[in-house]
Amino acid sequence: MSWLPSLITETPEEGFEIAIKLSRMGVKKTQPDDDARKRMRAIYENDADSLTMVSHVIATNFQTVAAANNYWK
Amino acid sequence: MSWLPSLITETPEEGFEIAIKLSRMGVKKTQPDDDARKRMRAIYENDADSLTMVSHVIATNFQTVAAANNYWK
Amino acid sequence: MSWLPSLITETPEEGFEIAIKLSRMGVKKTQPDDDARKRMRAIYENDADSLTMVSHVIATNFQTVAAANNYWK
Amino acid sequence: MSWLPSLITETPEEGFEIAIKLSRMGVKKTQPDDDARKRMRAIYENDADSLTMVSHVIATNFQTVAAANNYWK
Amino acid sequence: MSWLPSLITETPEEGFEIAIKLSRMGVKKTQPDDDARKRMRAIYENDADSLTMVSHVIATNFQTVAAANNYWK
Amino acid sequence: MSWLPSLITETPEEGFEIAIKLSRMGVKKTQPDDDARKRMRAIYENDADSLTMVSHVIATNFQTVAAANNYWK
């Protein structure tokens, strides 16, 4: 089954979840090893700049998903 | 209740508040622990580059919200 | 009175000023303390990369304001 | 044969793969040496911020591919 | 006289020059002191990552100018 | 002769080459000295994050070129 069947969602909140998924998949496709990613999680989740960088990736993907959904208007 | 019922606002200023909310939610969804985020706040709020990075995330999210509201024209 | 009544301006130059205001407000909303921001100013205004990062935030906000004004055509 | 015959894909998932390809080609065109890139892989694939930066490039390229495909609507 | 009378240019190359001007003005508006900027120039012009960051700001501003000119089509 | 006569290309691949050219010109316009740029090349071409930053600039410029070409549809 596809991890990304569509960009279309009912609500902005669901759209934000897809943006998070896209951001995490960009990491997973680059580093497929679950253990490696778990090890790194302990680092970035306690680093302010790392968290801001993650939020920036989510914001970029949310732009894409929001445009896809015509901003849920 | 949804934390993001809509991207539509009356004014640009309200739109900027949603952009801030989106930026903070990107961090909260990545690091759900309130205490951890509070600890980190004391660091980034006194670091010029960290604050610029936060402003960049807000600017990216404000692009999305402004487009959603057809720039409040 | 609203600090952001509208994104619409007469000229590109005025639009650039709004982009600067949006960028600075992104910092102010994150760090409301004027003295803290003044302390940090002495650091980033003499750091090349910090100034480039600020210019990047202004560029992102200028994209938004320029689109809002249909590029002052 | 072209490595980028088209931006058009059947599905969002295929579109995401093109975004990954564009991101990796941006590195390859800058550093054509396969061995050098392999050496560096061992570094960035175990660094949280490096992986977030890669995900940000993929997100930027995915914006392009998604727009090209009218968001697979 | 305005430093930014218009975003409209005859050619893409002139548009790129406006993108450079916008990027530099973003720095100048943040650090108005010419000597300070000259001092910093000696640093960033010999730092690969600093130059890449500058190119990224120019690319962001070129997006704006290119859209303003309907891509000189 | 202009280094950027047009943004229009026959294929996405040619468009990607223009995006690379725009990215490198952003560096060259900032640091015109060929030897200085050659010296720095030896540094960034062996640094994973530096290469990712370059790929991000190319991705941003490719967005512009792809939109200019209506995504070669």
Side-chain angles (χ1 to χ4, degrees):
Chain A
M1 205 195 92
S2 169
W3 65 272
L4 188 64
S6 169
L7 299 182
I8 307 309
T9 69
E10 291 294 317
T11 67
E13 204 174 321
E14 286 169 23
F16 199 78
E17 293 300 325
I18 291 201
I20 293 171
K21 189 181 204 180
L22 286 163
S23 307
R24 291 179 180 169
M25 195 54 98
V27 171
K28 187 169 180 177
K29 292 276 187 176
T30 309
Q31 169 55 286
D33 183 311
D34 291 346
D35 293 336
R37 291 201 312 277
K38 226 169 269 162
R39 267 198 314 275
M40 285 184 267
R41 193 176 158 69
I43 298 165
Y44 75 76
E45 66 176 7
N46 288 299
D47 180 300
D49 287 352
S50 297
L51 290 169
T52 302
M53 285 169 71
V54 171
S55 184
H56 203 168
V57 182
I58 294 170
T60 304
N61 281 312
F62 187 62
Q63 283 194 333
T64 308
V65 178
N69 286 276
N70 193 30
Y71 307 102
W72 299 281
K73 286 191 272 200
Chain B
M1 205 196 93
S2 168
W3 65 272
L4 189 64
S6 169
L7 300 182
I8 308 310
T9 70
E10 290 294 317
T11 66
E13 205 174 322
E14 286 169 22
F16 199 78
E17 292 301 324
I18 291 202
I20 292 170
K21 190 180 203 181
L22 285 164
S23 307
R24 290 179 180 170
M25 196 53 99
V27 171
K28 188 170 180 176
K29 292 276 188 177
T30 309
Q31 170 53 287
D33 183 312
D34 292 345
D35 293 336
R37 291 201 312 278
K38 227 170 267 162
R39 266 199 313 276
M40 286 183 266
R41 193 175 157 70
I43 298 164
Y44 74 77
E45 66 176 7
N46 287 299
D47 180 299
D49 287 352
S50 297
L51 290 169
T52 302
M53 286 170 71
V54 171
S55 184
H56 204 169
V57 182
I58 295 169
T60 304
N61 281 313
F62 187 61
Q63 282 193 335
T64 308
V65 178
N69 286 274
N70 193 29
Y71 306 102
W72 298 281
K73 286 192 273 201
Chain C
M1 206 195 93
S2 168
W3 64 273
L4 189 64
S6 169
L7 299 183
I8 308 309
T9 69
E10 290 295 316
T11 66
E13 204 174 321
E14 285 169 23
F16 198 78
E17 292 301 324
I18 290 200
I20 292 170
K21 189 181 204 182
L22 285 164
S23 306
R24 290 180 181 168
M25 196 52 100
V27 171
K28 188 171 181 176
K29 291 275 187 178
T30 309
Q31 170 54 286
D33 183 313
D34 292 345
D35 293 337
R37 292 200 312 277
K38 227 169 266 162
R39 266 198 313 276
M40 286 183 266
R41 194 175 158 68
I43 299 163
Y44 74 77
E45 66 177 6
N46 287 299
D47 180 297
D49 286 352
S50 297
L51 289 169
T52 302
M53 286 171 71
V54 171
S55 184
H56 204 168
V57 182
I58 294 169
T60 304
N61 281 313
F62 187 61
Q63 283 193 334
T64 308
V65 178
N69 286 275
N70 194 29
Y71 307 102
W72 299 280
K73 285 191 274 201
Chain D
M1 206 195 94
S2 168
W3 65 274
L4 189 64
S6 167
L7 299 182
I8 307 310
T9 70
E10 290 294 317
T11 67
E13 204 173 322
E14 286 168 22
F16 198 78
E17 293 300 325
I18 291 203
I20 293 171
K21 188 181 206 181
L22 285 163
S23 308
R24 291 180 180 169
M25 194 54 98
V27 171
K28 186 170 182 177
K29 291 276 187 177
T30 309
Q31 170 54 287
D33 183 311
D34 292 345
D35 293 336
R37 291 201 312 277
K38 227 170 268 163
R39 265 199 315 275
M40 286 183 266
R41 194 178 156 68
I43 299 163
Y44 75 76
E45 66 177 6
N46 288 299
D47 180 299
D49 287 352
S50 297
L51 290 169
T52 303
M53 286 170 71
V54 171
S55 184
H56 203 168
V57 182
I58 294 169
T60 304
N61 281 313
F62 187 61
Q63 284 193 333
T64 308
V65 178
N69 286 276
N70 194 30
Y71 306 102
W72 299 282
K73 285 191 271 199
Chain E
M1 206 195 91
S2 168
W3 64 273
L4 189 64
S6 168
L7 299 182
I8 307 310
T9 70
E10 290 294 317
T11 67
E13 205 174 319
E14 286 169 23
F16 199 77
E17 293 300 326
I18 290 200
I20 292 170
K21 187 181 205 180
L22 285 164
S23 307
R24 290 180 181 169
M25 196 52 98
V27 172
K28 187 171 181 176
K29 291 276 188 178
T30 309
Q31 171 52 287
D33 184 312
D34 292 346
D35 293 336
R37 292 201 311 277
K38 227 169 267 163
R39 266 198 313 275
M40 287 183 265
R41 194 177 157 69
I43 299 163
Y44 75 76
E45 66 177 7
N46 288 300
D47 180 298
D49 286 351
S50 297
L51 289 169
T52 302
M53 286 170 70
V54 171
S55 184
H56 203 169
V57 182
I58 295 170
T60 304
N61 281 313
F62 187 60
Q63 284 194 334
T64 308
V65 179
N69 285 275
N70 194 31
Y71 307 102
W72 299 281
K73 285 193 273 198
Chain F
M1 208 196 92
S2 168
W3 65 272
L4 188 65
S6 167
L7 299 182
I8 307 310
T9 69
E10 291 293 318
T11 67
E13 204 173 321
E14 286 169 21
F16 198 78
E17 293 300 325
I18 290 201
I20 293 170
K21 188 180 203 181
L22 285 163
S23 308
R24 290 180 180 168
M25 195 54 97
V27 171
K28 187 170 180 177
K29 291 275 187 178
T30 309
Q31 170 53 287
D33 184 312
D34 292 345
D35 293 335
R37 292 199 313 276
K38 227 169 268 162
R39 266 198 314 274
M40 285 184 266
R41 193 175 157 70
I43 299 164
Y44 75 77
E45 66 177 5
N46 289 299
D47 180 299
D49 286 352
S50 298
L51 289 169
T52 302
M53 286 170 71
V54 171
S55 184
H56 203 168
V57 182
I58 294 169
T60 304
N61 280 313
F62 187 61
Q63 284 194 332
T64 308
V65 178
N69 286 275
N70 194 31
Y71 306 102
W72 299 281
K73 285 192 271 199

